[in-house]
Each structure stands twice: as C-alpha cells, then as structure tokens.
Amino acid sequence: MRRGIVAIVAVNMIWGFEAIGIEYLMSSMEPFVYTLIKLAVSVLILVPLLLIKEKRFHIDRKDWPRIILCGIVGMCIYFNAENIGTELTSAAFATLVMATVPVFGLVFDRIWFGGRITKLKVVCVMGSIAGVYLLIAGEPMGVSIRGFLVMLLGAFMWSSYIALVKPIEEKYSLTTLLTAMMLPAFIVQIPLTLLSHPQWTGLTAGNVLLAVLLGVVGVVIAEYLYVFAIGRLTVTMTSLFENVFPLTSVVFSFVIFGTSLTAVQLVGGAVILVSVTSLALRE
C-alpha cells in the first residue's frame, strides 16, 4: 500500500504541473485536437516500448471487452469531457465538479468490490471536497449547466475507469495493459476529432510541442504510476487522492508564477491533506 500511495502522490504532482500547460493550451488549441495529440503520442511511445521490452503482445480474449472499455472510458471520453467542460465553464468550476470523483469511487467500491461505507470514509470524502472548494473559492466561477453536466460525466467516467482497471491490473504488465487501453482510445478519438470539424490553422510548432510534452509526462508516465497505484489501493482511496491534484496545481502556480496564497487556500489545502491522511492511516 505504501508504494501505491507514493505512486499516486507522484501522479498528482505531475497532473498539477500539467494543469498549468492545459490551461494555456485551451486558449489556442481545440479540446478534441489536444486529446488526439496526447493519445497519438502515447501510442507512438508505448507500441515500440512494448515490442522492445516484451517482444510480444498478448491479451486474453475474455479481457478484451473490459480493456477496450477502460481505454474508451478513461482515455477518450474522460479526456474530452475534462477539456470540453473546462472550456464551457471555468477551470475553477470544472475543478469543483471533478472533486466529486471520490463520491462515485465510494459507491463503486461498495457495489463492485464490497467495500464498506464507513463514517470515516464519508467524512474524509466530504472533507476533501470542502477543501477543494476553499482552494478555488477566490477564482471566477463560470457556471454553466452544459459544462456542469459534461464535467459530471467526466467524474463518473474516471471513477468507472478506476473500478474497471483494478481487477486486471496485476494480470498483465503495465506496458501491455496501457498499450491495450491506449490503442482503442486513439482509434475512437480519430473520428471524434474529425466530426468536431477542428480548425487546424491555430496549431503552431510551440503549442504542438507543448501538447506532445504533456502527452509524454501527463499520460504515459502518469498512467504508469496511476495504474500501478490502482492495483495497490482501494477504489475509495484511489479516487480520494484525486482531490490532492488541485492542491498541487495551486502550489505549482505559487512556485512558478509567484501567485499569492490566501489564508483560505491554506486552510483548504490543510483540510484536503488531513482528509486523505486520515483515511490512508485507517486503510
């Protein structure tokens, strides 16, 4: 479990850094295009790595439906929902809606894995959501019904992804599993991007290079660590750590851009850390 916690903390640090780049890219690159670039980069890295490292690619026939669903739900639908929802609302409101991921995780843990819904779990989940709210309370909230529904879909899909991956995480190597998930996600993303009638003229060497870099770090490396963590933590614990990500994003903004941290944000960060730590000690 300890290694799983270390891995998921590292993931949230990566995603906190990535969020800064995504916020910049969304002003010049369309969401579907960005997702396509990320998935293309992932496939271009993972397929050769698999062939070099493992020399073969085998997935049991019975596992293919689940793995394809994992890829489409977690890598395609979620990525698009996150980007589109942020574009329709605001980064702050999108973050707040995504803070509901642990709620879905708690329910899925109960339904699919028989995990108990204890008072401590409920308090920790609610505490983490309250902490996220305090972190972003001073940011402009571009509330939109469409944006809310899209982001809520994203939260549901990501929680589903965690629950779907967990039973097969130890059956295959991380490289095999990630390659098998990325391929169907990339294939589905191609027609989705074309159907969105993207404006390719806005692409520049600079923003494409940044998107490629975020694909390598935010998808390939982060997903290696994340899937590793899923196999060692409960669904509730894994999903609860999602709310550490807004904290790391705020910290990176402070370190890199010198943005000020308010007393309310410090309290929010402390509430998140206490909530996550309390559950981790009991798990």
Side-chain angles (χ1 to χ4, degrees):
M1 179 178 174
R2 187 173 300 173
R3 290 192 300 166
I5 290 177
V6 171
I8 205 164
V9 168
V11 169
N12 279 280
M13 292 180 68
I14 291 172
W15 284 343
F17 176 77
E18 182 193 16
I20 299 172
I22 292 176
E23 190 171 355
Y24 169 78
L25 278 179
M26 286 301 98
S27 63
S28 59
M29 184 179 292
E30 296 184 33
F32 282 103
V33 174
Y34 174 56
T35 301
L36 181 66
I37 292 174
K38 287 204 302 185
L39 292 175
V41 169
S42 302
V43 169
L44 289 173
I45 291 175
L46 287 169
V47 171
L49 181 63
L50 177 69
L51 296 176
I52 294 170
K53 183 181 177 182
E54 303 188 18
K55 305 294 191 299
R56 62 193 293 268
F57 180 42
H58 172 74
I59 298 290
D60 290 346
R61 183 178 298 178
K62 66 178 182 178
D63 291 330
W64 267 117
R66 176 184 287 269
I67 289 177
I68 291 173
L69 190 60
C70 285
I72 294 174
V73 165
M75 306 301 165
C76 183
I77 298 177
Y78 167 72
F79 283 160
N80 287 315
E82 180 185 39
N83 295 334
I84 295 170
T86 302
E87 189 177 52
L88 289 173
T89 58
S90 65
F93 185 70
T95 299
L96 184 59
V97 178
M98 284 304 299
T100 62
V101 164
V103 177
F104 291 112
L106 190 65
V107 174
F108 289 163
D109 203 1
R110 173 60 181 168
I111 294 174
W112 292 359
F113 302 100
R116 294 176 58 218
I117 299 180
T118 64
K119 290 181 180 179
L120 177 64
K121 288 180 180 179
V122 173
V123 169
C124 290
V125 167
M126 293 299 104
S128 72
I129 295 174
V132 171
Y133 174 77
L134 293 174
L135 270 180
I136 62 174
E139 300 294 325
M141 291 279 184
V143 180
S144 156
I145 296 298
R146 287 174 59 202
F148 168 74
L149 293 176
V150 171
M151 289 307 303
L152 195 63
L153 173 66
F156 178 81
M157 288 298 169
W158 190 251
S159 303
S160 301
Y161 167 71
I162 296 171
L164 286 166
V165 170
K166 188 171 179 60
I168 55 173
E169 184 275 334
E170 292 187 352
K171 189 172 182 178
Y172 303 100
S173 72
L174 289 173
T175 305
T176 296
L177 187 56
L178 285 174
T179 303
M181 291 191 297
M182 291 295 179
L183 283 169
F186 174 61
I187 291 170
V188 171
Q189 184 63 30
I190 293 173
L192 285 178
T193 303
L194 295 176
L195 288 171
S196 72
H197 303 293
Q199 299 296 317
W200 305 99
T201 53
L203 298 181
T204 65
N207 60 24
V208 171
L209 182 61
L210 178 58
V212 169
L213 175 63
L214 294 179
V216 174
V217 178
V219 180
V220 179
I221 297 176
E223 283 300 325
Y224 258 96
L225 293 170
Y226 197 77
V227 173
F228 176 84
I230 288 174
R232 285 147 188 84
L233 303 173
T234 64
V235 174
T236 300
M237 194 72 222
T238 304
S239 59
L240 183 62
F241 265 95
E242 294 294 319
N243 287 345
V244 175
F245 152 64
L247 175 58
T248 60
S249 184
V250 168
V251 171
F252 274 121
S253 294
F254 171 74
V255 172
I256 297 173
F257 301 112
T259 55
S260 59
L261 289 175
T262 66
V264 173
Q265 286 180 310
L266 292 174
V267 172
V271 171
I272 293 171
L273 292 177
V274 168
S275 299
V276 172
T277 304
S278 298
L279 187 58
L281 290 174
R282 288 297 299 271
E283 292 276 303

